[in-house]
Amino acid sequence: MKFKLRTKLSMSYLLIGLLCILIISVLSNIFLEKSFINYVIKNQTLKNETIVEQLQSQIDREGVFNSDAIETIGITALEQGVIIRIVSMNGATIWDAKVHNNGLCEEMITHMSTSMMQKVPNWKGALIVTDYPLLQYGKTMGKVVIEFYGPYYFTDSDVAFMETLNLLLLAVSGIAIVMALSVGTLMARRISKPLSIVMETAREITNGNYEARTKLNTTTVEIDALTESINDLAETLENQEKLRQRLTSDVSHELRTPLATLQSHMEAMIDGIWDADISRLKSCHEEIVRMTQLVGALEKLAIIENDANKFERVPVGIRQLIENQIKNFESDFYKKNSQIEFECLADETILADKNQLNQVVVNLMSNALKYSPENSRLIIRYYVTYEEVFLEFQDYGYGIAEADLPNIFERFYRADQSRNRTTGGVGIGLTISKAIINRHGGKIMVSSTLGEGSLFKIVLPKTTIV
Ligand code: ADP
């Protein structure tokens, strides 16, 4: 059976409230009643002692029993539910409440037992008879026999007091239940309302509305964290969706031109308008090679951009890596009568994906080669600081126009379309390089002056943990 969070929370508060009331009621019933009974018993003993004291002080004052004074004490005792009888040394009764007013005594005893039976059903009381000696000059001159209902007896005011107490307990319980319910409902609403809003956003995201966001400012850490996670999720999905849309349009745009060229060339040759000579077939072949390159580069980029693909983390010696690539590029630079210089000021080993770092170096070196005229130079600088590794690729080639600089890391962006046609670039090399450096926790920057050359600068953290 499933319940709403709100119902569950309200019910829990109510349950806690009821449990507290139950515990308080049970404890107060046990302890309060016990101490109240003790109080009543003590009170009865005190009452008896007071009667004895009053009688004793009469004897001390007058030396003999004074029937009038004794009667006053006896009647007062009777009014308090105590029956007394004074007996002299020789057994003669001086004063007896039962003789004085037997009817009242009988009536009082019956009233006591019936009312107690009503108030406390399992009450086991009986008429208790005790006697106390009365002294004259240190010698016993008689005794007072005291009869009362014991071990305890609740007077009407005692019962009224207990009833008030119970009523108070009942009122407190009622207030506690109302408070538990209202606080519970309030708290439940405060927790469930933002959750419902977050849930609604999640539902919208599921339905494809990746722009949906939740703006909540609660005082609950977990709800704030959940809101943030849902917003982050929406943002990731939104970015991925944009990327997917852009990729689809970019790819179709990039493929449309070479495919149209190929199609028209092929059709012209099939229709006999053109001869299928070597130069035309070569041009078609070039278009196919370009498309294959483009698809290959896209594949590579997809692999790097996919967060699910983990990096291979191995210690990579940067110096060795660059020296190897310089060897690989030497002959190509030589063909253009250009030089590569390596200013190596460090020899650091970092944790990185060796193949991917190689890819970045290859991309930057081949760009320097492609976008420089003959008799040019490429300077590679390698230095470190306390925390970072720096790699610089400075060429003295064509340079990049200021307007193109912010875009050159974008997918398919080529600064100089006319020159790019001849160099055969597809505009993905720098995008791949940036993605690799970013995944290594580093940065890649460019500064360039048209006609003078470009400087690509890479900064990598020394302990690159991917
Ligand atoms: P491509 O395959 O076209 O070289 P890149 O992503 O490597 O793709 O480079 C994007 C564009 O940036 C290039 O088309 C080029 O116009 C410009 N570019 C890159 N490197 C350099 C450089 N060293 N000198 C001048 N222009 C460059």
Side-chain angles (χ1 to χ4, degrees):
M1 197 144 155
K2 292 198 190 308
F3 295 100
K4 280 189 159 183
L5 181 67
R6 209 152 132 183
T7 320
K8 271 189 153 183
L9 275 173
S10 307
M11 285 303 130
S12 331
Y13 269 86
L14 187 67
L15 196 75
I16 293 170
L18 284 174
L19 270 173
C20 289
I21 291 165
L22 191 79
I23 293 167
I24 292 171
S25 307
V26 169
L27 289 181
S28 66
N29 249 313
I30 295 172
F31 292 107
L32 264 179
E33 205 176 298
K34 220 172 180 179
S35 31
F36 191 69
I37 288 171
N38 281 342
Y39 160 79
V40 171
I41 291 172
K42 259 190 199 156
N43 218 15
Q44 182 64 53
T45 319
L46 210 73
K47 227 187 260 177
N48 295 353
E49 283 168 5
T50 312
I51 294 167
V52 176
E53 260 171 39
Q54 280 171 346
L55 289 168
Q56 187 61 56
S57 66
Q58 183 271 310
I59 293 164
D60 291 345
R61 237 182 4 255
E62 300 178 37
V64 286
F65 289 120
N66 179 337
S67 317
D68 289 342
I70 291 173
E71 189 168 306
T72 314
I73 297 168
I75 290 168
T76 316
L78 202 58
E79 281 163 2
Q80 291 174 7
V82 182
I83 301 165
I84 63 166
R85 182 159 54 95
I86 320 292
V87 184
S88 70
M89 240 342 243
N90 53 22
T93 302
I94 311 290
W95 192 85
D96 189 346
K98 284 180 186 163
V99 174
H100 172 77
N101 194 341
N102 194 36
L104 180 65
C105 290
E106 291 290 324
E107 194 187 315
M108 204 178 71
I109 290 165
T110 333
H111 171 72
M112 279 175 163
S113 78
T114 48
S115 80
M116 271 308 273
M117 287 309 276
Q118 275 170 8
K119 290 170 210 159
V120 193
N122 56 353
W123 180 70
K124 285 190 187 72
L127 205 60
I128 293 175
V129 184
T130 43
D131 50 63
Y132 297 85
L134 295 169
L135 309 173
Q136 189 192 36
Y137 308 122
K139 280 190 184 162
T140 309
M141 73 172 288
K143 63 179 179 180
V144 52
V145 181
I146 297 178
E147 285 181 41
F148 60 93
Y149 243 101
Y152 62 91
Y153 163 73
F154 293 151
T155 62
D156 288 344
S157 54
D158 289 342
V159 173
F161 171 74
M162 279 179 73
E163 273 172 5
T164 314
L165 211 71
N166 280 336
L167 228 94
L168 203 79
L169 219 70
L170 215 72
V172 169
S173 307
I175 293 168
I177 289 176
V178 172
M179 270 175 70
L181 253 177
S182 33
V183 172
T185 316
L186 196 85
M187 285 304 288
R189 193 174 303 156
R190 285 186 76 172
I191 293 175
S192 69
K193 204 175 167 196
L195 279 181
S196 307
I197 296 172
V198 177
M199 217 165 69
E200 190 48 47
T201 313
R203 203 169 291 139
E204 276 190 51
I205 295 168
T206 315
N207 292 337
N209 177 13
Y210 301 139
E211 281 167 24
R213 297 286 186 280
T214 308
K215 276 195 193 85
L216 276 178
N217 200 8
T218 66
T219 45
T220 317
V221 177
E222 286 82 358
I223 292 179
D224 276 1
L226 179 69
T227 311
E228 215 179 292
S229 306
I230 290 285
N231 285 345
D232 286 351
L233 176 73
E235 200 169 321
T236 312
L237 288 173
E238 194 183 354
N239 287 344
Q240 277 184 0
E241 180 61 13
K242 275 186 193 155
L243 208 76
R244 197 181 61 78
Q245 282 171 359
R246 224 187 72 195
L247 188 68
T248 318
S249 78
D250 283 355
V251 171
S252 54
H253 178 259
E254 286 299 315
L255 290 178
R256 199 179 299 124
T257 321
L259 278 175
T261 316
L262 257 181
Q263 190 182 351
S264 64
H265 284 198
M266 287 297 188
E267 279 170 2
M269 284 189 268
I270 290 165
D271 294 346
I273 301 166
W274 280 357
D275 286 337
D277 59 23
I278 291 290
S279 82
R280 286 194 173 118
L281 285 174
K282 237 181 172 174
S283 127
C284 289
H285 180 254
E286 268 168 25
E287 290 298 345
I288 293 170
V289 169
R290 234 179 73 75
M291 282 192 286
T292 315
Q293 266 179 2
L294 186 127
V295 172
L298 276 174
E299 234 169 30
K300 224 178 246 175
L301 185 62
I303 290 169
I304 294 159
E305 280 186 339
N306 188 353
D307 288 345
N309 291 332
K310 284 277 163 260
F311 272 157
E312 185 198 346
R313 279 175 286 170
V314 290
V316 180
I318 305 281
R319 180 188 171 162
Q320 191 62 48
L321 188 136
I322 291 169
E323 280 174 354
N324 287 347
Q325 286 312 327
I326 290 174
K327 269 188 207 127
N328 291 344
F329 272 89
E330 236 163 23
S331 69
D332 291 332
F333 272 79
Y334 182 75
K335 275 181 214 156
K336 280 183 92 171
N337 211 9
S338 299
Q339 293 167 21
I340 312 173
E341 288 166 31
F342 184 27
E343 291 178 8
C344 181
L345 301 170
D347 195 2
E348 199 73 40
T349 301
I350 65 165
L351 267 184
D353 188 307
K354 193 174 179 180
N355 285 338
Q356 294 195 353
L357 274 195
N358 248 326
Q359 182 69 62
V360 175
V361 175
V362 168
N363 287 353
L364 294 179
M365 286 179 78
S366 73
N367 277 354
L369 182 70
K370 272 193 292 187
Y371 304 114
S372 298
E374 296 213 340
N375 298 313
S376 193
R377 249 179 356 134
L378 166 67
I379 304 172
I380 303 174
R381 270 184 221 101
Y382 168 38
Y383 56 94
V384 293
T385 58
Y386 183 65
E387 285 177 329
E388 290 163 323
V389 171
F390 291 83
L391 276 174
E392 289 181 6
F393 295 79
Q394 180 158 24
D395 67 57
Y396 295 88
Y398 306 125
I400 306 160
E402 212 178 318
D404 291 321
L405 273 180
N407 303 315
I408 58 160
F409 292 104
E410 294 286 316
R411 200 187 304 260
F412 300 122
Y413 194 86
R414 279 157 297 186
D416 187 337
Q417 293 292 342
S418 57
R419 193 181 304 121
N420 265 287
R421 214 159 291 281
T422 53
T423 51
V426 289
I428 294 185
L430 285 180
T431 318
I432 291 179
S433 304
K434 190 175 179 187
I436 292 174
I437 297 300
N438 283 352
R439 280 211 74 177
H440 280 78
K443 281 182 288 187
I444 180 163
M445 295 153 281
V446 62
S447 56
S448 183
T449 313
L450 203 60
E452 288 185 16
S454 316
L455 171 68
F456 284 86
K457 188 170 180 175
I458 293 170
V459 188
L460 282 169
K462 256 189 193 170
T463 45
T464 304
I465 310 295
V466 186

Coordinates of all heavy atoms in Angstrom, one line a residue, residues 371-372 376-377 393-400 405 446-456:
Y371 N 49.6 25.7 -42.3 CA 49.2 27.2 -42.4 C 50.5 28.1 -42.3 O 50.4 29.2 -41.7 CB 48.2 27.5 -41.3 CG 47.0 26.6 -41.4 CD1 46.6 25.7 -40.5 CD2 46.2 26.7 -42.6 CE1 45.5 24.9 -40.6 CE2 45.1 25.9 -42.8 CZ 44.7 25.0 -41.7 OH 43.7 24.2 -41.9
S372 N 51.6 27.6 -42.9 CA 52.8 28.4 -43.0 C 53.3 28.3 -44.4 O 53.3 27.2 -45.0 CB 53.9 28.0 -42.0 OG 53.4 28.1 -40.7
S376 N 59.7 28.6 -43.3 CA 59.1 29.1 -42.0 C 59.8 28.4 -40.8 O 60.7 27.6 -41.0 CB 57.6 29.0 -42.1 OG 57.1 29.7 -41.0
R377 N 59.2 28.7 -39.7 CA 59.7 28.2 -38.4 C 58.6 27.8 -37.5 O 57.6 28.5 -37.4 CB 60.5 29.3 -37.7 CG 62.0 29.0 -37.8 CD 62.9 30.0 -37.1 NE 62.4 31.2 -36.6 CZ 62.8 31.7 -35.5 NH1 63.6 31.0 -34.7 NH2 62.4 32.9 -35.1
F393 N 53.3 26.3 -29.0 CA 53.6 26.0 -30.4 C 53.5 27.4 -31.1 O 52.4 27.9 -31.3 CB 52.6 25.0 -31.0 CG 52.7 23.6 -30.3 CD1 52.1 23.4 -29.1 CD2 53.3 22.6 -30.9 CE1 52.2 22.2 -28.5 CE2 53.4 21.4 -30.3 CZ 52.8 21.1 -29.1
Q394 N 54.6 27.9 -31.4 CA 54.6 29.2 -32.1 C 55.1 29.1 -33.5 O 56.2 28.6 -33.8 CB 55.6 30.1 -31.3 CG 55.6 31.5 -31.9 CD 56.1 32.6 -30.9 OE1 56.8 32.3 -30.0 NE2 55.7 33.8 -31.2
D395 N 54.2 29.5 -34.4 CA 54.7 29.4 -35.8 C 54.7 30.8 -36.4 O 54.2 31.8 -35.8 CB 53.7 28.5 -36.6 CG 52.3 29.0 -36.8 OD1 52.1 30.2 -37.3 OD2 51.4 28.3 -36.3
Y396 N 55.4 30.9 -37.5 CA 55.5 32.3 -38.2 C 54.8 32.2 -39.5 O 55.3 32.5 -40.6 CB 57.0 32.6 -38.3 CG 57.5 32.9 -36.9 CD1 58.1 31.8 -36.2 CD2 57.5 34.1 -36.3 CE1 58.6 32.0 -34.9 CE2 58.0 34.3 -35.0 CZ 58.5 33.2 -34.3 OH 59.0 33.4 -33.0
G397 N 53.6 31.6 -39.5 CA 52.8 31.3 -40.7 C 51.9 32.4 -41.1 O 52.1 33.6 -40.8
Y398 N 50.7 32.0 -41.7 CA 49.7 33.0 -42.2 C 49.0 33.7 -41.0 O 48.4 34.8 -41.3 CB 48.7 32.3 -43.1 CG 49.3 31.4 -44.2 CD1 49.0 30.1 -44.3 CD2 50.2 32.0 -45.1 CE1 49.6 29.4 -45.3 CE2 50.8 31.3 -46.1 CZ 50.5 30.0 -46.2 OH 51.1 29.2 -47.2
G399 N 48.9 33.1 -39.9 CA 48.2 33.7 -38.8 C 46.7 33.6 -39.0 O 46.2 33.1 -40.0
I400 N 45.9 34.0 -38.0 CA 44.5 33.9 -38.0 C 43.9 35.3 -37.8 O 44.3 36.0 -36.9 CB 44.0 32.9 -36.9 CG1 44.7 31.6 -37.0 CG2 42.5 32.7 -36.9 CD1 44.6 30.7 -35.8
L405 N 39.4 34.2 -34.5 CA 40.0 33.6 -33.3 C 39.0 32.9 -32.4 O 39.3 31.8 -31.9 CB 40.9 34.6 -32.6 CG 42.3 34.7 -33.1 CD1 43.0 35.8 -32.3 CD2 43.1 33.4 -33.0
V446 N 44.8 30.5 -27.7 CA 45.5 30.9 -28.9 C 45.6 32.4 -29.0 O 44.7 33.1 -28.5 CB 44.7 30.4 -30.2 CG1 43.3 30.9 -30.3 CG2 45.5 30.7 -31.5
S447 N 46.7 32.8 -29.6 CA 46.8 34.3 -29.9 C 47.5 34.3 -31.3 O 48.3 33.5 -31.6 CB 47.7 35.0 -28.9 OG 48.9 34.4 -28.7
S448 N 47.1 35.2 -32.1 CA 47.6 35.2 -33.5 C 47.5 36.6 -34.1 O 46.6 37.4 -33.8 CB 46.8 34.2 -34.3 OG 47.3 34.0 -35.6
T449 N 48.3 36.8 -35.1 CA 48.3 38.1 -35.9 C 48.3 37.6 -37.3 O 49.2 36.9 -37.7 CB 49.5 39.0 -35.5 OG1 49.6 39.1 -34.1 CG2 49.3 40.4 -36.1
L450 N 47.3 38.1 -38.0 CA 47.2 37.7 -39.4 C 48.5 38.2 -40.2 O 49.0 39.3 -40.0 CB 46.0 38.4 -40.1 CG 45.4 37.8 -41.3 CD1 45.0 36.3 -41.1 CD2 44.3 38.6 -41.9
G451 N 49.1 37.2 -40.9 CA 50.3 37.5 -41.7 C 51.6 37.4 -40.9 O 52.7 37.4 -41.4
E452 N 51.5 37.2 -39.5 CA 52.7 37.1 -38.7 C 52.9 35.7 -38.1 O 54.0 35.3 -37.9 CB 52.7 38.2 -37.6 CG 52.9 39.5 -38.2 CD 53.0 40.6 -37.1 OE1 53.2 40.2 -35.9 OE2 52.9 41.8 -37.4
G453 N 51.8 35.1 -37.7 CA 51.9 33.8 -37.1 C 51.0 33.6 -35.9 O 50.3 34.5 -35.6
S454 N 51.0 32.4 -35.4 CA 50.1 32.0 -34.3 C 50.9 31.4 -33.1 O 51.9 30.7 -33.3 CB 49.0 31.1 -34.8 OG 48.5 31.5 -36.0
L455 N 50.3 31.6 -32.0 CA 50.8 30.9 -30.8 C 49.7 30.1 -30.1 O 48.7 30.7 -29.6 CB 51.4 32.0 -29.8 CG 51.8 31.4 -28.4 CD1 53.0 30.5 -28.5 CD2 52.1 32.6 -27.5
F456 N 49.9 28.8 -30.0 CA 49.0 28.0 -29.3 C 49.6 27.6 -28.0 O 50.7 27.1 -28.0 CB 48.6 26.7 -30.1 CG 47.7 27.0 -31.2 CD1 48.2 27.4 -32.5 CD2 46.3 26.9 -31.1 CE1 47.3 27.7 -33.5 CE2 45.4 27.2 -32.1 CZ 45.9 27.6 -33.3

